[in-house]
């Protein structure tokens, strides 16, 4: 009976071998073969074995692969995750041995043996209880239904990360107590037994986890640092016990002048205690490394003021629904994303945009969760709640990106894969060389130096060099308004030498504004009143710009009749009993309205400056024009100069006409631009550059930019743009200006520099440490490295 399975989670040929061996060791399985590339297994059985049994066998073997049965004739297999006991959070390996794979339980990584790290809960929840009646627990503040007392927040649960740290700290204290007893002095006949007594609690309690990890690493053939520690200290401990109980089995070289065997109980205890100290420091480091996410989580308040039937009520932010009215008081954090419906204030948005200057907000302006209100109170309407808020999306993106793998990590992964077997081989060679060519007692020297080689090697230093830096870098980026989706983008940004940028919404504000209204007879107020009154019936963005401009200039709008929008040309209607026309030259030709040469010349001048110009006519007489422009962002010019000074070629691709594109390019000192580009033109242009060996970043904000953003080596979306553009990109700039690209470039350079420093020191440490532990300096300087110093 043949069955076919889809296996998810294998990353290398060793994984394939582990999976195949596990299948073949299951009772009732006759033969199993596993294909790594297709992630499939073909298993021949005596009778059908339930999928649950197979999954449990894999878990027992330390393999957290996902298994699903499927029909080989179907194209896709439905993957159902292995059910595990639900934990308090999501756990992952800090070295990302299995990519972005996560676990539901605390424990150690099945590949490298390191303690799994808990991802902070991405939605903070606060529960409330009664100080008199602790059985009363609810999600929002209020009063106790039993005694009427105000409910108080529950003490936050201890996180898995702190549990790991506290557990290691407790074990460290116990180890130190026994460790310090090694400084007592007793007669030799008692001393060896006393050392054994002191070592047993350290080996079998405080540091037993290292031996468990070593054993698991050997049976799964995922060799790691704990393999070396377990073999080294285990060999020393077992050697000492045999020497204590059966000294006669050892040759004379292993014995002292008194005939006793050299014991290594002290070395075993000290080495294990020092490794435990290393794990303790590492747990502390992980807590600090994930601090960026924790700081972001603190930005969201736990409760807010909900307006119900005109009355204020304090509620948990988790009970807020869309369209709820919320009162935000001075100095309070804004609870969710929404819009101001009453009042105004200035808001500190630095925690999301990275910009320190408070932003003035009034009615109809958007506000974001986590930002801080200034000195005035206002009422807002909730638009996005829970995981939909900008802050929640930022936290999710930072969490995902911090667990992604940078390409440079492949180098460390490849070396780490061969590192442990090479170290074990070096240790064996060390013993053989010392035993045959070393001074007396040669066997003792060989044994001690072989143990030192095992102890000093540290593959974890190689493995942690990249993910530690990535996690910190992604967090720092988020705090400065640069959201990075994955580590690959963070690394590639450092290599980018061409930046393709859209114009509208990227270099410019993306919002049309009226620059001026020109009247041949100088009566601009009258013309503005007519065209604004007519445009109040249009939904076109240019119409809205004209209406807003009129309102800012104190113009009262009049009623218009017979309104008609002529697609692609303009609008017509009657205002104050006069026929009003606003549109381009095609509309005026269609209506047989003549335009004077002087007015045409004025309009042409404006158009060459990149402005959008519409003619104005009253009762079939052309009386002037309105000039509309898309203002260039104040930060664009400075950002482009910094990028070009840093060796990045900046090219503008826009769908606008040649005149508008040239005007913007001239103002920004861009020598290279291309106008009238369709989405496919941008895509092909990027492909051409990539074929020339360029590393291309693309910055855009619209749906039409999505194909180019996806094609570019690094897609950069404006946070003020469309969701499609943001989804298609690897980096999102929250504030939506090019200064964020400069920040991203600088951040990438800093992270890559730090990764290279980490890799250099871990390589240097191991390359120098292993030969020194093997005794390479002994023939020249008489220097040997004690296993304790090695630890």
């Amino acid at each position: 009976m043949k069955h076919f399975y889809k296996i998810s989670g294998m990353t290398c040929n060793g994984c394939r071998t582990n999976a195949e061996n596990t299948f073949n060791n299951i009772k009732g399985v006759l033969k199993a073969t596993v294909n790594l590339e297709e992630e499939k297994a073909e298993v021949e059985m005596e009778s059908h074995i339930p999928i649950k049994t197979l999954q449990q066998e894999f878990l027992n073997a330390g393999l957290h692969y996902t298994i699903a049965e499927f029909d080989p004739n179907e194209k896709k297999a439905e993957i159902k995750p292995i059910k595990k006991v639900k934990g308090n959070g999501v756990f992952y390996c800090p070295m990302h041995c299995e990519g972005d794979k996560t676990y539901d339980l605390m424990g150690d990584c099945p590949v490298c043996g390191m303690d799994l790290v808990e991802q902070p809960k991405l939605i903070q929840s606060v529960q409330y209880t009664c100080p008199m009646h602790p059985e009363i627990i609810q999600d929002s503040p209020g009063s106790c239904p039993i005694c009427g007392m105000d409910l108080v927040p529950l003490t936050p649960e201890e996180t898995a990360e702190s549990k790991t740290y506290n557990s290691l700290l407790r074990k460290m204290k116990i180890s130190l107590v026994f460790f310090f007893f090694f400084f007592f002095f007793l007669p030799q006949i008692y001393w060896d037994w006393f050392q054994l007594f002191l070592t047993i609690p350290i080996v079998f309690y405080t540091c037993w986890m290292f031996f468990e990890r070593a054993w698991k690493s050997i049976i799964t053939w995922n060799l790691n640092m704990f393999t070396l520690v377990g073999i080294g200290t285990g060999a020393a401990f077992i050697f000492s016990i045999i020497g204590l109980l059966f000294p006669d089995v050892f040759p004379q070289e292993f014995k002292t002048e008194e005939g006793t065997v050299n014991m290594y109980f002290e070395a075993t205890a000290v080495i294990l205690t020092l490794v435990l100290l290393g794990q303790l420091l590492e747990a502390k480091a992980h807590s600090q490394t994930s601090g960026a996410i924790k700081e972001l989580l603190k930005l969201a308040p736990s409760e807010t003021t909900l307006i119900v039937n005109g009355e204020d009520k304090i509620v948990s932010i988790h009970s807020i629904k869309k369209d709820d009215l919320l009162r935000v008081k001075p100095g309070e954090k804004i609870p969710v994303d929404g819009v101001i419906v009453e009042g105004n204030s200035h808001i500190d948005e630095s925690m999301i945009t990275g910009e320190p200057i408070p932003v003035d907000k009034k009615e109809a302006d958007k506000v974001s969760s986590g930002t801080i209100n200034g000195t005035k109170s206002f009422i807002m309407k909730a638009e996005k709640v829970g995981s939909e808020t900008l802050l929640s999306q930022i936290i999710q993106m930072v969490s995902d990106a911090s667990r992604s793998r940078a390409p440079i990590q492949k180098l460390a992964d490849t070396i780490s894969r061969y590192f442990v077997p090479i170290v074990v081989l070096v240790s064996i060679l060390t013993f053989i060389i010392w035993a045959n060519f070393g001074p007396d007692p040669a066997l003792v020297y060989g044994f001690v130096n072989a143990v030192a080689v095992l102890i000093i090697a540290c593959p974890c230093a190689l493995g942690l060099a990249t993910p530690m830096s990535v996690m910190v870098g992604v967090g720092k980026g988020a705090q400065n308004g640069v959201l990075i989706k994955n580590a690959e983008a963070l690394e590639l940004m450092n290599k980018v030498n061409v930046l393709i940028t859209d114009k509208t919404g990227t270099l410019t504000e993306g919002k049309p504004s009226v620059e001026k209204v020109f009247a041949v007879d100088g009566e601009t107020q009258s013309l503005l009143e007519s065209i604004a009154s007519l445009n109040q019936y249009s939904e076109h963005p240019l119409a809205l710009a004209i209406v807003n401009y009129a309102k800012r200039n104190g113009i009262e709008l009049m009623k218009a009749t017979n309104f008609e929008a002529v697609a692609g040309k303009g609008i017509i209607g009657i205002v104050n009993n006069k026929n009003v026309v606003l549109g381009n030259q095609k509309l005026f030709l269609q209506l047989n309205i003549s335009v004077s040469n002087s007015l045409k010349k004025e309009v042409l001048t404006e158009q060459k400056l990149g402005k959008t110009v519409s003619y104005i006519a009253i009762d079939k007489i052309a009386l002037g024009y309105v000039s509309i422009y898309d203002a260039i962002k104040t930060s664009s010019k400075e950002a482009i100069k910094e990028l070009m000074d840093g060796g990045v070629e900046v090219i503008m691709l826009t769908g606008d006409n040649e005149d508008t594109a040239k005007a913007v390019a001239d103002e920004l000192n861009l020598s290279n631009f291309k106008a009238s580009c369709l989405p496919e033109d941008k895509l092909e242009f990027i492909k051409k550059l990539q074929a020339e060996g360029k590393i291309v970043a693309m910055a855009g904000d619209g749906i039409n930019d999505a194909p180019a953003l996806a094609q570019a080596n690094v897609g950069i979306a404006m946070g003020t743009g469309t969701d499609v553009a943001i989804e298609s990109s690897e980096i999102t700039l929250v504030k939506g200006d090019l200064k964020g690209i400069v920040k991203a470039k600088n951040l990438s350079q800093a992270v890559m520099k730090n990764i290279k420093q980490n890799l250099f020191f871990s390589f240097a440490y191991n390359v120098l440490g292993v030969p020194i532990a093997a005794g390479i300096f002994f023939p020249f300087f008489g220097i040997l490295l004690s296993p304790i110093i090695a630890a």
Side-chain angles (χ1 to χ4, degrees), residues 515-556:
E515 185 181 47
K516 66 178 177 179
V517 176
F518 174 81
V520 174
D521 58 5
E523 294 293 328
T524 56
Q525 289 291 97
S526 176
L527 282 187
L528 179 57
E529 183 181 55
S530 297
I531 63 173
S533 298
L534 190 60
N535 270 299
Q536 67 182 310
Y537 300 97
S538 172
E539 295 180 353
H540 196 281
L542 297 182
L544 182 62
I546 292 171
V547 172
N548 289 339
Y549 181 74
K551 288 180 178 178
R552 286 198 301 271
N553 284 275
I555 301 292
E556 289 190 16

Side-chain angles (χ1 to χ4, degrees), residues 49 123 132 140 316:
I49 300 173
I123 297 178
M132 297 278 290
S140 58
S316 166

Side-chain angles (χ1 to χ4, degrees), residues 375-389:
T375 56
K376 297 180 181 179
S377 178
F378 62 84
I379 297 173
M380 64 173 285
K381 182 171 74 171
E383 291 186 332
K384 293 181 179 179
V385 299
S387 60
E388 296 177 348
T389 65

